[in-house]
Amino acid sequence: MQQETAAPMEFEYALYQSLKAIYPTLSVRGMSKLLGKSPGYWSSILAQQLPVSNPSLVHLLDALECQKILSPPGTPKATKIAAVQGSIVRELTLRFELQTGLEQLGEYSFTQREEPTYDALPFIVSCY
């Protein structure tokens, strides 16, 4: 059974609105920066009706993880950040499944993991 993708740009609009709820002063240039791209990236992909690139979403996950670590656990901000991260992971999982056909194997599924607790500020490393 083939999974249907969301309407074009639906994920991107929902992502921006979710981040706007966390960061009310977020601009399109700020959104581009969160994605690790040049200031005009977000405007450009919206104008061309292109999906956000997978590497940009991974960069955003890293940036949000840093923000979540800096927020006290259990606060509304940390909860909203975790929700946005969950939606990004689901989108990436869907893209990955649709590109590779792994959904037919039934071995790969998205599972919610327990929230980590931090005693000291950990080092975060991203690989490109």
Side-chain angles (χ1 to χ4, degrees), residues 80-95:
K80 288 177 184 177
I81 290 173
V84 172
Q85 286 178 308
S87 70
I88 294 169
V89 169
R90 282 187 292 280
E91 176 68 16
L92 287 171
T93 302
L94 178 64
R95 288 180 184 185

